[in-house]
Amino acid sequence: MPEWLKLAPLVPVVAFTLSVATATERVHVVIPAGPGGGLDGTAREAGRVLVELGLVERMSFENVSGGGGGRAMAYFLENAGRFDAPLLVNSTPLLVRSLQGVFPYGHRDLTPVAGLVADYGVFVVRADDPRANWDAVLDELRSDHRAMTVGGGSTRGSLDHIVLAMALRTADIDPLGIRYLPYDGGGKAMLALLGGEVDLLSTGLGETMAFIDAGEVRALAVTSSRRVPAIADVPTLTELGHSLVFANWRGFFGPPDMPPETLQQHLERLDAIRGSDAWQKVLERRGWDTLNASGADFAAFLDAQEAKLREIMEPLGFVQSSAR
């Protein structure tokens, strides 16, 4: 796989006995999106497992949507002092929107705690769609760039659009001529696909699994390096001859002035759940992969991902070369 698309190692993590964290705290998580979708699912699944394992006494969640995630970031920075152990869940769009200058905050304004999951991109059609496979989609778009409409749960130039553009470029198709319709979140984008407003959906696997399992949509290709067990019959783009491996990371952040002992407690809790049977079941059900990046390693991972995203986005015209 190209060097600039590599993620931090996705390796098994062995659980260990907590030496600092206790189950006496309430942990509060701010979610920069509405209910449903990948960020909300990541926060609530992780919280459920933390409580189930007795690592946290009580979890609370607060959905703060709007402004492409900027409203939640500003709210978190201004209100973190109200809570004993606050966390903000976030994902790749944090880097994308910072590069685009959508809002003035970035990952360096936070304390990186841990990257927890990697959610691969997937391209899906309705179950009754006549396009049998990914090659059929590419053939149609080569013939006529406007032949179909592609939907995504993020704005033009954001994550779903970027993944689509990368996939088309590997097939020598100019992505800028494709009809892309953005929706406010993966849920609304899925409804648009099921309702016939769009023909193809570029989205995350985790938020699509329920619709695949229900037989409402068919997945044509996934951006993982190997087949995902939850959708073992769906080929990767790489095995179809298109060299693309990409995943949307999701993880947790603390406020910039987080006390070292609080950071250590969060690190130990999140590291511990990675090796638990309960978390492995979540990964299998959601189609997620484990992302093993914590503390300083997570911060370095974010810096590297930001540089790689700039390399991806500049040729596509999704970010100006002068953007920070």
Side-chain angles (χ1 to χ4, degrees), residues 42 145 158 215 246 274 288 319 324:
T42 299
H145 276 31
S158 196
F246 189 85
R274 287 192 183 102
W288 293 337
V319 63
R324 74 174 178 88

Side-chain angles (χ1 to χ4, degrees), residues 7 59 68 91 104 117 120-121 146 174 191 203 209 230 232 258 269 271 275 289 304:
L7 293 169
M59 297 288 303
S91 59
V117 302
Y120 297 107
R146 313 290 287 180
D174 181 6
L191 289 177
T203 186
M209 279 302 307
M258 174 177 280
R269 291 189 186 100
D271 279 348
D289 212 337

Side-chain angles (χ1 to χ4, degrees), residues 278-293:
W279 186 246
Q280 294 308 309
K281 290 177 182 177
V282 170
L283 298 179
E284 291 170 10
R285 186 177 74 254
R286 291 274 187 168
W288 293 337
D289 212 337
T290 295
L291 178 58
N292 180 24

Side-chain angles (χ1 to χ4, degrees), residues 30-33 39 64 66-77 87-115 153-155 157-160 162 246-256 291 298-299 301-307 309-310 313 318-319 323-324:
V30 174
I31 305 168
L39 284 170
V64 183
R71 183 165 172 260
M73 176 78 84
Y75 173 84
F76 183 73
L77 291 172
L87 290 172
L88 172 75
V89 64
N90 226 308
S91 59
T92 308
L94 170 66
L95 306 180
V96 171
R97 288 159 184 153
S98 179
L99 285 169
Q100 293 173 328
V102 173
F103 51 83
Y105 306 109
H107 67 281
R108 296 178 185 86
D109 298 300
L110 301 163
T111 299
V113 177
S154 58
T155 60
S158 196
L159 191 61
D160 291 338
I162 290 169
F246 189 85
N248 175 24
W249 59 264
R250 295 197 190 97
F252 291 93
F253 298 79
L291 178 58
F298 186 34
F301 168 82
L302 294 170
D303 289 342
Q305 287 287 290
E306 183 182 60
L309 281 167
R310 182 185 291 280
M313 294 166 65
F318 291 155
V319 63
R324 74 174 178 88

Side-chain angles (χ1 to χ4, degrees), residues 178-300:
I178 304 300
R179 296 168 61 192
Y180 175 82
L181 286 184
Y183 292 87
D184 185 16
K188 291 183 179 179
M190 179 60 72
L191 289 177
L193 176 68
L194 296 176
E197 293 179 18
V198 299
D199 305 296
L200 176 73
L201 187 62
S202 172
T203 186
L205 177 57
E207 57 192 309
T208 311
M209 279 302 307
F211 298 93
I212 296 173
D213 290 341
E216 297 181 85
V217 302
R218 284 188 293 111
L220 303 182
V222 63
T223 66
S224 55
S225 61
R226 59 190 184 278
R227 291 208 180 194
V228 178
I231 51 169
D233 59 333
V234 179
T236 68
L237 285 172
T238 299
E239 68 181 276
L240 293 175
H242 310 290
S243 183
L244 174 61
V245 176
F246 189 85
N248 175 24
W249 59 264
R250 295 197 190 97
F252 291 93
F253 298 79
D257 56 352
M258 174 177 280
E261 61 272 17
T262 302
L263 172 61
Q264 184 63 25
Q265 289 175 339
H266 284 316
L267 287 172
E268 293 188 355
R269 291 189 186 100
L270 293 173
D271 279 348
I273 72 169
R274 287 192 183 102
S276 69
D277 290 341
W279 186 246
Q280 294 308 309
K281 290 177 182 177
V282 170
L283 298 179
E284 291 170 10
R285 186 177 74 254
R286 291 274 187 168
W288 293 337
D289 212 337
T290 295
L291 178 58
N292 180 24
S294 298
D297 289 341
F298 186 34

